[in-house]
Amino acid sequence: MKRCNNTRIPRALHFLKGIAIASALFAMQQPASAASADVATAWKNAQKLIPGISKETVDAACSEGSAMMYSLILRGEQEGIIGHFEKLFPCIKLKVFNASGGVLSQRFTNEMRAGNSPTDIWMNSSPVYGSRLAKEGLLLNWTPPTASLIDDLWKDEGYWYAIGLAHIGIIWNTEDIKPEQKKWLEGVKTWADVPNGPFQNNTGLVDIRAGGTTQIFYYYNKQKYGVDYWKKLATLKPTIFSGVNPLIGRLVAGDFAYAAGITADTAGATQWLKGAPLQWKFPEPGLAVPYFIGISAKAPHPNAAKLFMAWSLSTDGQNSWVNSSGLAPASSHATDNRPYAKKAWYKLPKTHYRADWQKIATDLKADTQTFTSIFGK
Amino acid sequence: MTGIAVGKRRHWLKNRGRSYSRAESALCAVLLVIVGALVLLPLGYLLYGALRDSPPRTPNAGYTWANLVEIYGSLHFAQPFLTTLAIGISVGIGSAILGVLLAWIITRLDIPRPGLWEKLLTLPIYFSPLMLALAFTALGAPRVGFLNLIWKTLGGDGSAVSVYSFSGIVFVLCVHYAPYAMLVLTAPMRSISAELEEAARVLGSSRWHLMRTVTIPMLRPAIFSVVLIVGTLAAENFAVPTLLGRQSKISTIPGEIYFWLTYEPSNPNLAAAAGTLLLLVTISGIFVYRYMTRMSGRFVTITGKPKLIPRLPLGKWRSAITGLLAFYLAITTILPIAALIFGSFMPYIGQHIDFNKLTLHNYQAALQGENYSAITHSLFLAVVSATLITLLGFLVSYIIRRTSVPGRGLLDYLSALPIAIPGMVLGVGMVWAYVIAPFGLWGSIWILLIAYMARFIVHAVRAINASLLQVSGEMDEAARVLGAGIFRRLRQITMPLTMRALLSSWVLVAIFVLNELSATILLYSSKSITLSVLTWNALDMYGAMQAFAFSVIQGCMTAILVWVSYRLSGKATW
């Protein structure tokens, strides 16, 4: 058999070899030029939106390239927040793990204590739990340059900062109420009015154990008006639900007409945006629960996490969180463009109750027993 | 027999006068290690967690009896415990009765197209109990459910039905589990040899007497198995009693566990303690089951070549029986599935049905972005888990039923233990056990595979047990005497004889895996999200209608899996 000789290789093969080498060189060039353009874009946007953030942090964040956020389940998060952040900072990819508050907390703490956590950013809505983890050293102590934009009521300085607020209010099915009920609803000003509603056998409430958003409602009114307030609510013979979303589903379906102690901007508004006949208001003083983020003390990508947190607290970040997730602003600098916020019937409370979250947590066991004895198990 | 070496020596050992080989002993040991690791590791952490005041690895945590005292020592949980037991017993017995009736109609009566009816009657399993509960609330909610709206239109007063009640909970769970009972009972019912029934008829027994004294007793192990498994699954279900029972002040132990694990402040240690309560109840049930089936030789019906029983001609009753089946199908399957599919095209369910509001938005959202990976994850997990679990269950079942090696009783208990633990509580045990796992296991899809193997091996073992009880050990003994090794006997004798049960088991496990939520919700990560998690998250945030869309997609996937397995089952021979 004749030996293969270089001179015998067809020209076409040489040509193809050349194309392949050129393509490989071009491809090798692409990531680098793409990467440096992304870093430049990130720094440009960081300077504009996050005054005070250092270039070292942004460069380090870009070389880390990604961050993992353990997040509560929020509507519009993927496109409105993650997508927007990645457009502003294209050198960073955000991965998100969504779950409910209890599951998220258990997961985060178990992983951190085992030294096996992929989390960079942790979200929660239990201030007492957040502060407890901070004390245990599971959250990074770092103050973003945009921290001052968040009101004092909604942060544990150096550890966690609110990206939005879930206000608690009353909500009703506009197709299911009579004129006298409508008149009564328009007259509700404070929480003292709420149990007096003409909605016998036509009311929904959420179980006190269903999280901080229900606990603050029951705790505040018990503290202000005594246990008699709960007894008055019980005279409405309410249907008790295990969570807000099942309640909202039945409210929209017309099982009952009125519900109290509800996070209307999240659960209620999700259905309102689809056309459900709902309306809600927030009696005074405002009861609100902060949805906050903190950075994991052992974050695999600490700089990317810092950039994300700093951006989240900036005006641009706050606008994204508010207008995508539906949470109310935690910063007075944010612009509220939520569709229902423009409605004449929608008004945020003028004042806010300063909750003692530690006391709420301490009293929960006794309060649960009282709740059960009044509303039944 | 050709191909079997003659005169090859085996080392035989003795256990209470019965002999077993070293190979059987070695296989039992390996299975004990595998099943033991799968089951005891999370269970061990669970028991450990029940005795601690904080989750494992919490700084300054200590031992305490407080959790166990609160569960066992206070009357506070007596009512939820009794309600849990009542649900379990009612659903177990109800599903078994329905399962026997349906299996008998499908296998023994001369109805038209029995194969098609068998497939149609299993449809409710394709949907998780939660989705069925949601579908039935759309139908049976007081005042506003579709059925009550029709009742009002016909001039009725109040509500004709209310799904928010104890009977509503039992009804929904029976609808879901009766097909499971039917599937488990169909294989042994088909396997009963004709000779026994022919002998009884020749001696003058009526059909009813035959059913009562021959057929039902022969099925006793399978029926007990169904009552035990379905009863435990129903008792440990948290979603249906929570959704349908809260409004009627019905609370259950799994419902309480759900609160302790998912809402803040969470209390996983108390949840672990409550899990031990259900564990004790089920261990008692397993003990009763083993006692009732200890004389397994009495249930043997397949020896050598079995003869199949001819179908009973129905004559003028054919239309009536078929009509009854159609009515049952309409109530348990067509109406709720129609409600589910209709709801998946609505943005929300209001007081009036407005066809102008029909939308594809729920499906558009369901098929976007990372949701595709949830579909592939779910399929992968269902197929791989079902295959591994069926294989493992087959080996376990063989060791328990066909050998006399020491340790097989322990293997029986070990494989059945996970059924006693609510999936969510087992998930907590697995989080505590596997969070330190090396090689990137934690957070990967493989951790879900391990969880499903631990959780569902009992179904494979029970289904194959019931079939093995009816297969005589004589053929296996004969092959062993002639020198065939254990794996050859498994491959060439036992597996072909139990192929229908293996395929049934595969289908069941695949469906359970597809619908599994309670452990998955604690163990999944962004790299292993499944359809059931997407459904639950949608329920939690975007509303029931989005969850309906995910559920319909899940149902379609289940239907494809079942269709494939039925095709394979048609090729299975004696």
Side-chain angles (χ1 to χ4, degrees), chain A residues 106 109-110 113, chain B residues 48-49 52-59 61 268-269 432:
Chain A
Q106 283 301 309
T109 50
N110 278 300
R113 287 168 186 151
Chain B
Y48 173 67
R52 303 283 283 179
D53 55 17
S54 301
R57 303 178 197 94
T58 307
N269 300 86
W432 290 339

Side-chain angles (χ1 to χ4, degrees), chain A residues 144-346:
Chain A
T146 42
S148 57
L149 296 175
I150 304 299
D151 300 331
D152 281 341
L153 203 51
W154 315 119
K155 61 186 174 185
D156 184 348
E157 192 75 70
Y159 291 104
W160 56 258
Y161 298 85
I163 44 84
L165 304 177
H167 281 99
I168 288 86
I170 56 173
I171 189 168
W172 59 93
N173 185 321
T174 54
E175 286 180 357
D176 214 16
I177 52 167
K178 302 186 181 74
E180 61 271 21
Q181 290 170 329
K182 187 177 176 195
K183 194 170 169 202
W184 179 85
L185 286 164
E186 283 164 0
V188 169
K189 296 274 183 288
T190 70
W191 289 103
D193 304 323
V194 165
N196 304 325
F199 291 101
Q200 197 88 359
N201 287 310
N202 208 1
T203 303
L205 292 175
V206 181
D207 195 301
I208 191 173
R209 292 179 295 166
T213 49
T214 49
Q215 285 152 25
I216 190 175
F217 164 68
Y218 291 112
Y219 178 83
Y220 168 77
N221 288 300
K222 187 197 80 173
Q223 198 198 33
K224 180 90 178 160
Y225 306 108
V227 172
D228 282 344
Y229 187 95
W230 292 10
K231 290 179 182 166
K232 250 187 179 176
L233 277 175
T235 61
L236 295 175
K237 297 197 174 25
T239 307
I240 308 291
F241 288 85
S242 58
V244 172
N245 284 291
L247 181 150
I248 294 293
R250 301 323 305 159
L251 178 70
V252 169
D255 259 356
F256 49 91
Y258 163 75
I262 304 300
T263 49
D265 283 350
T266 48
T270 301
Q271 300 307 315
W272 182 88
L273 288 166
K274 293 179 190 176
L278 297 175
Q279 206 168 299
W280 58 94
K281 72 192 300 184
F282 304 113
E284 294 284 351
L287 303 180
V289 170
Y291 279 45
F292 58 84
I293 55 174
I295 299 175
S296 163
K298 295 177 191 166
H301 312 96
N303 293 289
K306 285 176 182 174
L307 182 60
F308 181 77
M309 182 187 253
W311 169 78
S312 293
L313 308 188
S314 69
T315 304
D316 183 70
Q318 279 288 292
N319 289 343
S320 289
W321 279 106
V322 165
N323 298 310
S324 301
S325 69
L327 294 168
S331 165
S332 49
H333 299 265
T335 308
D336 191 350
N337 284 325
R338 296 173 296 167
Y340 41 90
K342 297 179 192 330
K343 294 288 180 187
W345 49 263
Y346 184 89

